[in-house]
Amino acid sequence: MQSAAEEQYRRATALYDAGDFVGALAAYEAGLEASPQAAALQYGRGNCLVMLRRVEEAIGAFDCCLTLAPHHPIAQYNRANALVQLQRWQKALESLDALVRGHPGMADAWNNRSGVLQALGRPDEALESLKPVLQMQPFNARAFYNAGILLLTLKRFDEAQQLLGRAFQLNPQQSDVLGSLVSAALHACDWPALEQLLPLLLAKVQEGSRVVAPLAILALSDDAHLQRRCAERNLQHALADTAVAGRVAPLAPKAHDHGKIRVGYLSSDFGDHPVAAQIVGVLEAHDRGRFEISGWFTGQADGSARYRRIVNACHHFVPLGGMGSREAAELIRAAEIDILVDLNGQTLGWRPAILKYRPAPVIATYLGYAGTMGADFVDYIIGDAHVTPFALAPAMAEKIAQLPDCFWPSDPDLPEPEPVSRAELGLPQEAFVFCCFNSHHKIRPVIFDAWMRLLKAVPDSLLWIRQGDPTVNARFRQQAQSRGVDPTRLHFAGRMENFARHLGRQAEADLFLDTWPYNAHATASDALRAGLPIVTLRGESFVSRVAASLLSNLGLDELIASTMEEYEAIALSLARDAQRLENVKLRLAGARRTAALFDMNRFVRGIEAVYEAMQARARRGEAPSPLKIFRP
């Protein structure tokens, strides 16, 4: 490096250390004029460009550095981080793979590689990538946290608790460790640990700390305002790790003017996933004369039958999984989408940075997440009068758009229930069977207490719930025994060989007991389709009002409770009055044939009316405001 370049290098380094990235960049570039082959100057230039959020240019600078100095590990590392900011996961992985091959002792590279593999939906490999980090840095609280998160993803909840507990022990001040530890206890049904940590967690969320994922808090609190606070804080953090942390100019104009309304559905879950199971029938039933439908897929194709149905149901289907957020947004903008409907919300695989670029004049969130995204760049949340009453508006960052019937779509191509006998299921023939096929993390002690009181009040009854691993099953039995109930009165339902038999076995139960605050959603729809009545406790947030919406749509409002005492009373009355229960089942069977809940064409006409109202408002240049659509 020539002396003039060395002087500029020293000046640039001092400016960079002082936080003057513009000045440092100018100095590095002046040094490059004198010494264009200086790798250190290109490296410093790349770092400045990252800090100035000119990430594309930064990658070019790091590439120049690596051309001049191929074995510059920090340049390769920073290049990979820049690719992560642009969410170019595959390119980032290639960079990190090269780095750990050449520098296997670089723990940070292994750690970041794990994060990229997780983003690519490869959690087993991501966990393997963390093992060298845990060996090299046994006191690295963040590495233990990352491993715990991966174990949560892999549903190895007890192991997750152990590693997250270690992370919390090493650094109790890590803001997100507490929430993940609570989530692990929730999924492991370790209620003593959960109840010990929960008050601290909720207090920190109230303070505005980012301590728990929004999806987890849905099962922990029925406070819709607290859920919004959690969502907003999590969104800020998610965007801080991307290249769109600041304000960005919208890519799309205020409104397009097409002959057909162009609706784009954005999701990572187009495949063997519950969201895909609900949305596929909607895509297939859209009116092709008035709407042009496109799928924007941010996940990995699984080749499932449902994936193929979704591809075939769209006029255009565009994979975005290996693409950065800006590139994805530009593609959506180029397609002149009128209304972009996000189907993820704050769930695994969400891509809020794409929405932040505002690639469409109207952006809505629907179905994938039962709550607000907490984003000021999302215009509408699509619900109905039950799950999103206008009284909930202060708890929503979006404007509420109410469908005319239930917000829940039900695929008409699901199979009919296949008969299954109690003998096959190991259920006593004469017992009254209370059941709940919800995921275990939705079962909170307060609802389990109610179930145990019902078992005591109905001596010949039993509780039929999903089978977990042996540890979880043993915990449920122990909790029953501690409440004075014979643990053998708990029966566990394993997986069925096909969905038709799963639906069929539900007819062998007598009454479905819903969870609170996180209601049954797809599980409730399946039970009702199978003819199994549900007793639900309607809460104060979207997530705790879903089953009430389904039941009301079927004309079964008497099964909706407003208090825990009422919930128990309804269930007990039905368990003690066989004729009343039979009448409810007959009404449910009739409603299944006539109600809007299982009428996909009627549902789609309703959601299309919502889209037409959104589009008309955008064309008039009006700001988003609450929408209520009556039956078209």
Side-chain angles (χ1 to χ4, degrees), residues 427-594:
L427 298 174
Q429 194 63 42
E430 302 303 320
F432 188 93
V433 178
F434 294 109
C435 84
C436 180
F437 290 140
N438 278 356
S439 298
H440 290 155
H441 78 280
K442 295 183 180 182
I443 303 175
R444 294 290 309 283
V446 65
I447 207 79
F448 193 79
D449 289 342
W451 295 351
M452 295 302 101
R453 289 192 291 267
L454 286 168
L455 289 186
K456 288 178 181 179
V458 184
D460 60 343
S461 65
L462 60 87
L463 177 65
W464 194 25
I465 61 176
R466 288 172 61 163
Q467 181 171 290
D469 63 40
T471 302
V472 168
N473 293 347
R475 282 184 182 137
F476 276 122
R477 287 202 165 108
Q478 187 277 325
Q479 290 292 342
Q481 189 167 34
S482 71
R483 290 162 173 79
V485 174
D486 182 349
T488 62
R489 293 175 68 185
L490 269 63
H491 287 243
F492 297 99
R495 292 188 67 85
M496 300 297 280
E497 53 267 39
N498 61 60
F499 190 68
R501 285 179 64 79
H502 168 63
L503 289 177
R505 71 175 166 183
Q506 298 195 52
E508 296 304 307
D510 293 295
L511 191 62
F512 188 111
L513 299 175
D514 197 12
T515 47
W516 176 91
Y518 202 138
N519 282 175
H521 294 184
T523 312
S525 178
D526 293 342
L528 293 168
R529 178 184 288 273
L532 177 61
I534 297 171
V535 177
T536 191
L537 173 57
R538 177 175 50 208
E540 301 300 323
S541 61
F542 188 145
V543 74
S544 64
R545 302 171 71 90
V546 171
S549 178
L550 303 180
L551 288 166
S552 185
N553 183 269
L554 294 167
L556 295 171
D557 294 82
E558 72 267 31
L559 302 183
I560 303 168
S562 298
T563 65
M564 187 63 73
E565 292 76 17
E566 188 181 1
Y567 172 90
E568 290 183 49
I570 294 169
L572 186 58
S573 173
L574 290 167
R576 287 176 170 172
D577 189 339
Q579 187 58 55
R580 183 185 172 203
L581 180 59
E582 182 60 27
N583 288 340
V584 168
K585 288 185 176 182
L586 289 172
R587 287 168 55 207
L588 173 56
R592 184 188 165 187
R593 294 189 296 271
T594 60

Side-chain angles (χ1 to χ4, degrees), residues 33 94 130 179 190 205 209 240 261 292 321 352 358 384 417 425 460 476 535 553 567-568 598 600 620:
E33 289 180 10
E94 291 167 7
L130 278 175
D190 186 349
V205 174
S209 299
I261 298 176
E292 184 178 302
R358 287 206 61 93
D384 63 40
L425 298 167
D460 60 343
F476 276 122
V535 177
N553 183 269
Y567 172 90
E568 290 183 49
F598 298 115
M600 180 56 74
R620 293 193 299 267

Side-chain angles (χ1 to χ4, degrees), residues 320-373:
L320 303 174
M323 201 174 293
S325 295
R326 175 81 189 194
E327 297 165 282
E330 286 174 344
L331 269 185
I332 296 168
R333 164 65 185 91
E336 295 192 354
I337 298 302
D338 294 301
I339 301 169
L340 184 63
V341 183
D342 170 74
L343 297 174
N344 273 97
Q346 292 218 27
T347 62
L348 186 67
W350 70 314
R351 294 285 297 274
I354 295 175
L355 305 179
K356 173 90 176 188
Y357 283 113
R358 287 206 61 93
V362 178
I363 297 176
T365 183
Y366 172 59
L367 191 62
Y369 177 74
T372 181
M373 283 188 72

Side-chain angles (χ1 to χ4, degrees), residues 295-299 301 307 316-323 328 331:
W296 301 89
F297 183 38
T298 57
Y307 172 80
H316 312 283
F317 188 85
V318 186
L320 303 174
M323 201 174 293
L331 269 185

Side-chain angles (χ1 to χ4, degrees), residues 59-87:
I59 293 169
F62 292 134
D63 285 341
C64 289
C65 174
L66 289 166
T67 299
L68 297 166
H71 303 296
H72 194 310
I74 307 302
Q76 184 79 283
Y77 178 79
N78 289 357
R79 178 183 184 273
N81 286 344
L83 288 163
V84 166
Q85 285 194 47
L86 294 172
Q87 298 183 320

